[in-house]
Amino acid sequence: MGIILITISYLLLAAHSVRGGDMGLAVSFVGCLILTMTKERWTGLLTTVVLGGGAFLWLVKGSDLINMRIGLGVDWIRLAAIMGAVFAVTLFSAAFPVTLAGRKWFHRDSDKMWYKTALFLITALLLETVRSKAPFPVLLVDRFFPGWGRAEIFILSAYAAWIGGKMFLPDGAKKIRPRIWAFFSIVFFLQLMLGLAGFDQFLMTGNLHLPIPALIVAGPVFRGSGFFMPILFTVSVLLVGPAWCSHLCYIGAWDDQSSRVSGKRPAANFPHALIWMRLILLIFVVAIAWGLNVLGISGSIAVLVAAGFGLIGIFVMLIFSRKIGMMVHCTAFCPMGIIANLLGRLSPWRMKISSDCNQCGKCSKVCRYGALRKEDLESGHPGLSCTLCGDCVSSCSSGCMGYKLPFVSSNLSRKIFLVLVISLHSLFLGVARM
């Protein structure tokens, strides 16, 4: 009986959305109904939240309609009875998942309930905020089908919850993270190619710049404007630390795949001092950008200089990263990498090595950032080049490696971190384009 009322409640909200012209929201309500058929516990909690909001919507809408009819001096009692019944059914449906019968229906994966619900709702909130605040359509669905954008928000939110389920355990995260990172990069560059081919809908604004990470800081220095990307980068790093470099960077995914393609384990003799070469390159890149601006060099020449820097980076990936099984581009060449590592110190996120560690070195053999040398293990925390990728967590058979947030257990810290970084990944997947 309860699931029937939930079905009726979702369909009524979908019908109301269709009548209001919001087809995307209607699709979202139907999508939430479909999710309940999985019987996963988190979809029950999601139903409580969504239908709870729906009940409030009916209360407000009914009140407005009743007041309007009273003002017109026409009968309002029948309308009040209908709206009251709709409100009651929706409110009961929202409460059903927390009842004994509801828990029997929504019984699967109860340990992931809060985790996956948070992923869905935070992703939806981020995308809805961007969609409502942007001065132009930022979601692809809105560009091709105006008014349907909330359908894309639902899909990306469900995607975030699904990915979160796959990454719930460390072993799953180690397998899935490189794949979704590469998927994001493919989507990003596929949209760029389609945009360059004449399909303008796949470009953000049409004001193109080279997709080279160093230009996040060098571009504004040269132009004297365009600070959106530096702000986005800074906010992201403050939220999830240097995980920008292991989850969110569209070029970093190339370096990751290059380091894996040969099947080699990360080299144990990588010169750790090379991570500071990125700081030298950062100063060099900023100085060049400033010099080109001062000398009044044209944008076309600046593009050629930037392209040359980018090609050197690709060379580093294809030759050095592939050869030694380490992400040499990210750890020794990319200027934004050193900024993320240093700025990430302001973030509360840390990787912590327990005092029970026997220094077996298993974690060092999977770290592609050279952050787990013997001296790092002895110190109790990874080196500066750590990007919180988490590959080391699954490799530690003694459970001595984990994420750490102040005053929170390692297990809960990891889940909170994943909620944030997967939500940002899903947000970027939906809106990141040139």
Side-chain angles (χ1 to χ4, degrees):
M1 183 63 178
I3 197 65
I4 294 175
L5 293 179
I6 286 175
T7 300
I8 293 172
S9 298
Y10 272 129
L11 292 180
L12 285 172
L13 288 168
H16 178 68
S17 301
V18 170
R19 186 175 182 181
D22 195 334
M23 299 300 295
L25 185 57
V27 170
S28 298
F29 284 130
V30 174
C32 287
L33 172 59
I34 294 173
L35 286 177
T36 63
M37 299 301 123
T38 66
K39 299 186 179 182
E40 290 190 31
R41 190 73 186 95
W42 79 272
T43 64
L45 180 56
L46 178 66
T47 292
T48 296
V49 174
V50 174
L51 292 186
F56 179 75
L57 170 67
W58 291 128
L59 186 64
V60 173
K61 191 68 177 177
S63 177
D64 290 343
L65 290 173
I66 290 170
N67 287 330
M68 182 183 70
R69 293 184 73 86
I70 291 175
L72 293 173
V74 297
D75 177 63
W76 56 271
I77 296 179
R78 186 174 65 174
L79 173 65
I82 293 173
M83 295 303 296
V86 171
F87 166 76
V89 167
T90 307
L91 186 62
F92 176 83
S93 300
F96 175 73
V98 302
T99 66
L100 180 60
R103 289 196 295 271
K104 287 182 179 179
W105 177 271
F106 298 105
H107 66 278
R108 297 179 55 196
D109 294 338
S110 58
D111 56 329
K112 301 176 185 176
M113 180 179 68
W114 291 102
Y115 169 71
K116 295 183 74 171
T117 305
L119 277 164
F120 185 98
L121 293 177
I122 291 175
T123 301
L125 178 62
L126 289 173
L127 286 163
E128 180 63 31
T129 301
V130 171
R131 180 178 186 257
S132 62
K133 298 298 183 181
F136 54 85
V138 294
L139 299 177
L140 279 181
V141 171
D142 271 327
R143 295 186 173 195
F144 287 97
F145 306 99
W148 286 69
R150 288 195 172 101
E152 183 177 350
I153 291 177
F154 169 80
I155 292 171
L156 288 170
S157 300
Y159 163 82
W162 177 69
I163 289 299
K166 296 292 184 181
M167 297 179 68
F168 187 72
L169 297 176
D171 285 340
K174 184 180 179 181
K175 295 176 182 177
I176 293 295
R177 181 188 64 85
R179 297 175 185 177
I180 63 170
W181 193 14
F183 173 61
F184 163 63
S185 183
I186 290 170
V187 170
F188 179 89
F189 283 101
L190 178 60
Q191 291 182 100
L192 175 59
M193 288 188 290
L194 289 171
L196 294 175
F199 300 95
D200 293 343
Q201 297 95 329
F202 290 97
L203 300 176
M204 181 63 81
T205 62
N207 297 322
L208 295 177
H209 58 83
L210 292 176
I212 299 171
L215 294 188
I216 293 176
V217 63
V221 172
F222 173 72
R223 296 189 302 268
S225 61
F227 295 95
F228 172 76
M229 278 306 298
I231 293 173
L232 176 64
F233 174 83
T234 301
V235 171
S236 299
V237 171
L238 291 177
L239 281 174
V240 295
W244 169 283
C245 298
S246 57
H247 293 79
L248 305 174
C249 177
Y250 44 80
I251 289 292
W254 295 17
D255 199 27
D256 179 67
Q257 293 300 315
S258 295
S259 69
R260 295 175 187 272
V261 70
S262 65
K264 295 181 178 179
R265 286 184 172 180
N269 58 350
F270 179 78
H272 187 69
L274 284 179
I275 69 171
W276 293 104
M277 188 171 76
R278 297 174 298 171
L279 183 59
I280 298 173
L281 288 172
L282 173 64
I283 297 171
F284 174 77
V285 164
V286 171
I288 291 294
W290 179 79
L292 293 175
N293 175 276
V294 170
L295 295 174
I297 302 298
S298 68
S300 57
I301 295 178
V303 166
L304 291 176
V305 174
F309 186 83
L311 289 174
I312 295 173
I314 294 175
F315 175 81
V316 170
M317 295 181 204
L318 296 178
I319 302 300
F320 296 102
S321 296
R322 184 180 61 84
K323 183 177 180 180
I324 68 175
M326 273 192 60
M327 297 175 64
V328 180
H329 173 273
C330 294
T331 55
F333 183 80
C334 179
M336 299 310 297
I338 193 65
I339 295 179
N341 289 144
L342 294 173
L343 186 61
R345 296 293 180 177
L346 299 178
S347 160
W349 299 104
R350 298 289 185 272
M351 292 299 295
K352 186 67 176 177
I353 303 170
S354 167
S355 58
D356 296 329
C357 173
N358 59 13
Q359 299 184 28
C360 66
K362 290 181 180 178
C363 56
S364 303
K365 295 176 181 178
V366 300
C367 180
R368 298 183 184 275
Y369 294 90
L372 290 170
R373 302 165 297 157
K374 183 178 180 180
E375 49 265 50
D376 297 319
L377 298 180
E378 291 174 349
S379 69
H381 55 80
L384 179 66
S385 56
C386 173
T387 65
L388 305 177
C389 73
D391 287 357
C392 55
V393 178
S394 63
S395 69
C396 184
S397 56
S398 57
C400 294
M401 182 75 68
Y403 290 87
K404 187 59 182 173
L405 191 64
F407 313 112
V408 179
S409 69
S410 179
N411 185 45
L412 181 57
S413 295
R414 178 178 177 273
K415 289 181 174 61
I416 296 173
F417 173 80
L418 286 178
V419 167
L420 289 176
V421 80
I422 293 173
S423 296
L424 286 176
H425 160 78
S426 303
L427 171 67
F428 285 17
L429 190 62
V431 304
R433 63 182 68 92
M434 300 297 289

